[in-house]
């Protein structure tokens, strides 16, 4: 079966400026693709290209095997949800949802039954006759989803749909979108700058920066094996610790030495690593640095560190120290006795360590 | 009204606020008196026009300009409407009034609709050079009437509509487009572009999006455009006098002719009545739709 969306060597220019460079992505039916990146990375432009709202400058774009280069948005069998919801202000909720069907000349009976079905699904029946201006943000969001759902398209496109909601509602709607995805088995492309949204929703993540795809992979691939320093830093909160270090290859594996200002250098040994360059950047997630005794494994190694800041976050306590000239965050349990200014033993688990080349920023293990 | 349960305040402190509030009230009164005087000053001409139009010629000659009519008579109004002479014809302003209606109504509607479409394109369907075209249209607002008289006369002649009401409609539509485009463009610029995108995905085209989504949103700015255009076109004299012939002249031109072509006794009451008749429609439009005018001019974004 052909992939539902297949993009090959896609380029997009505005005059002389290239905003998308050599984009290659494909998703199968039922996948949830999230495009994530900082603002200005081209993710929304890519979505607009998929929708047909922006013409592409080069490459091919196929939906369900059909070339879409010269196909107008209405004939692409897509539905789109916008950040500002883009509800038609003068139409009632019901008319907003049925507008597309009316334009396409669907008979009134079908319109009615589809409207009823979608309204039930999204629990918006009580305000079908209201205007968008009379609804709350969350309700408008539902109506916007309803307008997309009613089309039953091959591909759903979401352009930062949750950005205008408050934090609590955003988490609720996130769960709802995920539920909807499971229930419908629909194919979705979702743009966000929020890496947590990306992780929780996606079956496949595309991380973008400056119009170039940095990495494509499942959430766990992206999280555990970031392809470069940008992805490592962008995905995850608090961010991955990226610490400059020196290596030395010995009989028992690679010895990693990390300088620090007031204590002697930390020395860690990674028996698996082979042939690392002398200068590397070591990447460790905060949760891979813990209280001694809480992690077991061959690669757990302890070292005393000077605690600078302690940040209790409820379930965990984040502790900051300084390694290799950079702040390092460790995620300890909430009852830790670490106090600012004291020296505390930390356990480094190298099982999920990432090594990067300092110059190019590329992953090397 | 002081709270009874509260501890009694010392006399000295309760005295001061009272003194201040007295000063405040006095100031307020002064303000209203001054405003009232200004209003009187501005209403005086209208008052004189109204009273004079209701007096007989005899009374005008002997009486005081500011006094109320001793005897109400509507003869001057009747004369002005259907008997006063404009040059050699003596039909009053009635035929010219209808000329003005037949010219102003289509010209207002056409220029408003075209302005709405121009604004919609310039604000929401950006194309290369859109800014230059908009700037040029704006420039059109500032070209003095006199400059276009001759080229326009030639143009109307070539089109074969010189001296006709359609010709005048054409002139007013062209001249009004700059303003109406400006109104609608500035209104539509505040509407998020995502609205057009959503409608495109829904399958609607250029025309459908305009009529189904944008036009219903535009009531306040349509009112502004209609009031502005109606006032301009109805009150226009220069185009009216330049591009019309006997029989197609608008009411402003007729009013001028009535006032200027009296023979013998100057009938002030008839002149006044004719002037009020000529001014009534614009007044009426403003009274009916005036509150939307202010609202439309100050309307910012359209909240979806």
């Amino acid at each position: 079966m052909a992939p539902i969306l297949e993009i090959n060597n896609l380029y997009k220019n505005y005059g002389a400026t290239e905003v998308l460079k050599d984009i290659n992505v494909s998703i199968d039916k039922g996948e949830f693709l999230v495009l994530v990146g900082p603002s200005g990375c081209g993710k929304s432009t890519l979505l607009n290209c998929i929708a047909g709202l922006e013409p592409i400058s080069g490459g091919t774009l196929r939906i369900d095997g059909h070339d879409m280069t010269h196909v107008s948005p209405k004939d692409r069998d897509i539905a789109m949800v916008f950040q500002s919801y883009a509800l038609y202000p003068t139409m009632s909720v019901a008319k907003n949802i049925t507008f597309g069907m009316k334009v396409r000349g669907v008979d009134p009976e079908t319109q009615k039954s589809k409207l009823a079905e979608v309204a039930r699904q999204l629990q918006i029946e009580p305000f079908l006759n209201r205007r968008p201006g009379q609804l709350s943000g969350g309700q408008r969001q539902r109506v916007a989803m309803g307008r997309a759902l009613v089309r039953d398209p091959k591909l759903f496109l979401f352009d930062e749909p949750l950005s205008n909601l408050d934090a609590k509602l955003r988490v609720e709607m996130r769960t709802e979108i995920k539920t909807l995805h499971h229930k419908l088995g629909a194919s979705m492309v979702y743009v966000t700058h929020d890496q947590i949204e990306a992780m929780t929703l996606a079956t496949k993540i595309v991380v973008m920066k400056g119009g170039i795809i940095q990495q494509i992979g499942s959430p766990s691939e992206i999280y555990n094996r970031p392809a470069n320093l940008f992805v490592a830093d962008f995905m995850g909160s608090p961010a991955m610790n990226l610490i400059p270090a020196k290596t030395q290859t010995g009989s028992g594996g690679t010895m990693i030495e990390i300088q620090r200002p007031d204590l002697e250098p930390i020395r860690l040994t990674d028996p698996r690593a082979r042939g690392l360059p002398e200068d590397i950047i070591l990447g460790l997630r905060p949760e891979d640095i813990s209280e001694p005794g809480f992690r077991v494994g061959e690669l757990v190694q302890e070292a005393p560190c000077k605690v600078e800041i302690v940040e209790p976050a409820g379930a965990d306590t984040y502790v900051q120290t300084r390694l290799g000239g950079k702040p390092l965050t460790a995620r300890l349990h909430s009852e830790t006795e670490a106090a600012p200014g004291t020296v505390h033993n930390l356990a480094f688990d190298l099982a999920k360590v990432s090594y990067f080349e300092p110059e190019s920023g590329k992953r090397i293990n | 009204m002081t709270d009874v349960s509260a501890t009694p305040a010392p006399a000295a402190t309760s005295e001061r606020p009272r003194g201040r509030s007295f000063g405040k009230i006095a100031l307020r009164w002064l303000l209203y008196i001054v405003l009232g005087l200004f209003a009187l000053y501005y209403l005086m001409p209208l008052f004189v026009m109204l009273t004079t139009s209701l007096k007989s010629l005899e009374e005008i000659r002997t009486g005081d300009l500011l006094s109320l009519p001793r005897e109400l008579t509507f003869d001057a109004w009747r004369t002005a409407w259907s008997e006063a002479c404009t040059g050699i014809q003596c039909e009053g302003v009635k035929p010219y009034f209808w000329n003005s209606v037949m010219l102003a109504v289509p010209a207002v509607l056409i220029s408003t609709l075209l302005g709405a479409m121009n604004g919609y394109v310039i604000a929401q369907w950006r194309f290369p050079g859109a800014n230059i075209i908009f700037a040029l249209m704006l420039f059109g607002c500032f070209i003095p009437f006199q400059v276009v008289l001759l080229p326009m006369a030639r143009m109307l002649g070539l089109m074969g509509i010189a001296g006709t009401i359609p010709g005048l409609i054409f002139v007013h539509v062209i001249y009004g487009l700059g303003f109406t485009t400006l109104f609608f463009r500035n209104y539509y610029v505040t509407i998020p572009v995502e609205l057009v995108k959503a409608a495109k995905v829904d399958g609607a085209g250029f025309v459908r999006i305009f009529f189904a989504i944008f036009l219903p949103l535009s009531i306040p700015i349509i009112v502004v455009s209609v009031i502005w255009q109606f006032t301009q076109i109805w009150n226009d004299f220069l185009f009216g006098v330049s591009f019309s012939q006997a029989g197609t002249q608008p009411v402003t031109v007729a009013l001028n002719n009535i006032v200027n072509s009296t023979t013998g006794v100057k009938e002030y009451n008839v002149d006044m009545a004719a002037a009020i008749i000529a001014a009534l429609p614009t007044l009426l439009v403003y009274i009916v739709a005036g509150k939307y005018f202010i609202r439309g001019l100050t309307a910012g974004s359209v909240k979806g």
Side-chain angles (χ1 to χ4, degrees):
Chain A
M1 197 176 65
I4 199 84
L5 173 69
E6 191 181 8
I7 298 173
N8 287 317
N9 311 103
L10 182 141
Y11 282 81
K12 170 73 191 168
N13 313 323
Y14 288 119
T17 36
E18 279 193 332
V19 284
L20 293 174
K21 285 166 226 167
D22 198 19
I23 304 290
N24 291 284
V25 193
S26 80
I27 59 168
D28 291 323
K29 196 167 159 26
E31 274 199 284
F32 198 127
L33 177 77
V34 174
L35 307 175
V36 68
S39 46
C41 72
K43 54 193 191 296
S44 284
T45 310
L46 179 55
L47 194 74
N48 279 334
C49 287
I50 297 171
L53 295 167
E54 297 267 6
I56 61 178
S57 312
T60 59
L61 196 155
R62 290 168 188 282
I63 293 177
D64 203 18
H66 303 289
D67 183 24
M68 288 290 145
T69 312
H70 300 292
V71 178
S72 71
K74 66 183 164 84
D75 300 321
R76 293 191 178 203
D77 206 356
I78 51 159
M80 193 156 171
V81 178
F82 296 89
Q83 182 178 353
S84 68
Y85 318 130
L87 299 176
Y88 311 127
T90 55
M91 297 184 201
S92 66
V93 167
K95 288 208 169 123
N96 260 283
I97 291 173
T98 54
F99 181 70
M101 290 193 284
K102 201 176 134 200
V103 171
R104 273 173 282 126
V106 175
D107 72 277
E109 281 308 304
T110 320
Q111 284 187 29
K112 238 186 189 167
S113 67
K114 281 208 161 183
L115 172 66
E117 190 190 322
V118 166
R120 187 164 33 77
Q121 206 167 9
L122 293 170
Q123 294 150 25
I124 50 174
E125 287 136 317
F127 33 84
L128 279 181
N129 289 321
R130 292 204 209 151
R131 296 266 181 91
Q134 300 164 298
L135 303 180
S136 70
Q139 291 166 339
R140 286 182 207 178
Q141 181 59 59
R142 278 167 201 276
V143 177
M145 303 258 288
R147 197 166 59 176
L149 282 180
V150 83
R151 282 205 73 160
D152 195 15
K154 282 206 187 91
L155 193 59
F156 284 95
L157 307 176
F158 294 89
D159 191 359
E160 308 215 21
L162 306 183
S163 304
N164 286 356
L165 300 177
D166 63 63
K168 189 166 173 287
L169 206 52
R170 199 178 311 163
V171 174
E172 279 175 34
M173 287 305 292
R174 199 170 71 196
T175 315
E176 224 163 289
I177 292 178
K178 186 147 186 157
T179 317
L180 213 61
H181 174 243
H182 278 301
K183 232 187 325 190
L184 301 173
S187 317
M188 300 183 170
V189 181
Y190 187 105
V191 163
T192 179
H193 61 266
D194 180 349
Q195 46 92 17
I196 296 176
E197 251 173 52
M199 293 290 295
T200 46
L201 288 173
T203 60
K204 189 188 254 183
I205 296 180
V206 171
V207 185
M208 294 179 68
K209 179 197 163 197
I212 299 168
I213 292 183
Q214 304 292 313
Q215 187 174 4
I216 303 180
S218 68
S220 80
E221 275 168 359
I222 300 267
Y223 190 75
N224 294 321
R225 296 183 56 80
N228 57 37
L229 285 173
F230 173 78
V231 177
D233 187 49
F234 189 78
M235 301 298 289
S237 172
M240 183 185 259
N241 297 299
L242 298 166
I243 301 141
K246 296 231 183 261
T247 68
Q248 213 178 353
T249 311
S251 55
T254 303
M255 229 223 328
I256 301 153
E257 191 179 278
I258 306 163
Q259 299 291 334
R260 48 185 176 170
D262 38 5
L263 292 168
E264 62 182 77
I266 288 186
R267 292 195 180 81
L268 305 169
T269 320
D270 187 348
R272 302 170 308 170
R274 292 272 180 269
L276 294 182
E278 196 184 331
D279 285 300
I280 57 153
I281 287 175
L282 175 113
L284 262 185
R285 296 265 174 211
E287 61 266 29
D288 292 326
I289 306 166
S290 55
E291 202 98 6
F294 277 77
R295 280 279 184 108
V296 282
E298 288 170 26
L299 299 170
V300 180
Q301 294 157 48
E302 287 180 27
C305 295
K306 193 169 177 206
V307 175
E308 287 185 347
I309 299 169
V310 176
E311 296 174 316
D316 309 294
T317 297
Y318 294 103
V319 167
Q320 257 193 34
T321 178
R322 195 162 269 278
L323 279 189
K326 292 260 179 112
L328 173 132
T329 307
R331 185 166 157 187
L332 310 185
H333 65 85
S334 56
E335 268 101 48
T336 181
E337 281 162 11
T342 62
V343 174
H344 196 83
N345 257 0
L346 293 180
F348 295 80
D349 185 356
L350 295 188
K352 286 184 180 170
V353 71
S354 300
Y355 299 116
F356 301 98
E357 202 190 30
E359 305 290 296
S360 64
K362 284 205 175 103
R363 183 189 186 87
I364 42 181
N365 68 320
Chain B
M1 300 289 145
T2 48
D3 192 353
V4 193
S5 65
T7 47
T13 52
S14 67
E15 198 66 16
R16 269 185 46 199
R18 203 178 299 157
R20 207 183 301 149
S21 71
F22 174 75
K24 245 184 188 173
I25 290 170
L27 210 69
R28 197 32 63 104
W29 270 101
L30 190 73
L31 185 71
Y32 281 126
I33 289 168
V34 171
L35 285 176
L37 285 175
F38 276 133
L40 265 182
Y41 180 75
Y42 276 94
L43 284 172
M44 193 59 74
L46 184 66
F47 171 78
V48 170
M49 280 179 76
L50 258 178
T51 49
T52 309
S53 74
L54 296 173
K55 289 174 187 170
S56 64
L57 260 184
E58 178 64 28
E59 196 185 334
I60 294 171
R61 229 175 295 130
T62 55
D64 182 1
L65 185 69
L66 291 178
S67 66
L68 287 170
R70 262 171 281 151
E71 236 178 284
L72 278 184
T73 162
F74 290 91
D75 288 349
W77 285 73
R78 202 172 306 122
T79 313
W81 181 243
S82 56
E83 289 158 27
C85 297
T86 57
I88 45 165
Q89 279 168 307
C90 294
E91 296 169 350
V93 293
K94 188 170 76 176
Y96 306 99
F97 187 92
W98 293 120
N99 279 350
S100 272
V101 170
M102 281 183 326
L103 131 78
V105 171
V108 167
L109 294 182
I110 295 170
S111 61
T112 298
L113 188 71
L114 287 180
M117 288 195 130
N118 280 343
Y120 166 64
V121 171
I122 290 172
Q124 296 279 337
W125 296 72
R126 310 288 305 170
F127 55 92
N131 280 334
I132 296 171
I133 290 190
F134 180 56
L136 288 175
M137 295 200 76
L138 263 191
F139 187 62
C141 298
F142 300 106
I143 298 176
F145 277 24
Q146 294 82 342
V147 174
V148 296
L149 282 184
L150 282 176
M152 189 61 91
R154 176 93 182 107
M155 183 88 181
L156 291 176
L158 285 175
M159 291 171 72
I161 49 175
T164 64
I165 286 184
L168 267 177
I169 293 174
F170 178 75
V171 173
H172 282 297
V173 167
I174 298 281
Y175 211 83
L177 265 185
F179 290 98
T180 55
T181 303
L182 171 70
F183 293 148
F184 281 96
R185 182 263 179 196
N186 286 356
Y187 189 77
Y188 289 150
V189 150
T190 62
I191 296 173
V193 285
E194 288 187 342
L195 211 54
V196 169
K197 288 187 182 175
K200 273 194 202 167
V201 172
D202 262 344
F206 178 86
V207 175
R208 181 130 197 179
I209 297 174
F210 177 68
F211 283 104
I213 295 165
F214 278 79
L215 216 50
L217 264 179
S218 317
I219 309 291
I221 203 69
I222 289 176
V223 172
V224 168
S225 177
V226 164
I227 292 182
W228 174 269
Q229 280 297 91
F230 188 81
T231 311
Q232 293 291 312
I233 295 170
W234 187 273
N235 288 341
D236 163 71
F237 178 73
L238 189 64
F239 285 156
V241 81
S242 312
F243 302 132
S244 64
Q245 297 166 341
T248 61
Q249 286 153 332
V251 71
T252 45
V253 177
L255 179 63
N256 175 65
N257 293 348
I258 287 177
V259 175
N260 285 337
S261 68
T262 350
T263 48
V265 193
K266 192 107 179 101
E267 292 178 294
Y268 289 110
N269 50 359
V270 174
D271 294 350
M272 297 294 179
I276 294 172
I277 290 171
L280 268 183
T282 49
L283 257 179
L284 205 69
V285 166
Y286 190 77
I287 289 167
V288 170
K291 64 174 182 180
Y292 294 100
F293 188 69
I294 306 296
R295 214 181 288 166
L297 278 182
T298 54
S301 62
V302 178
K303 290 209 171 139

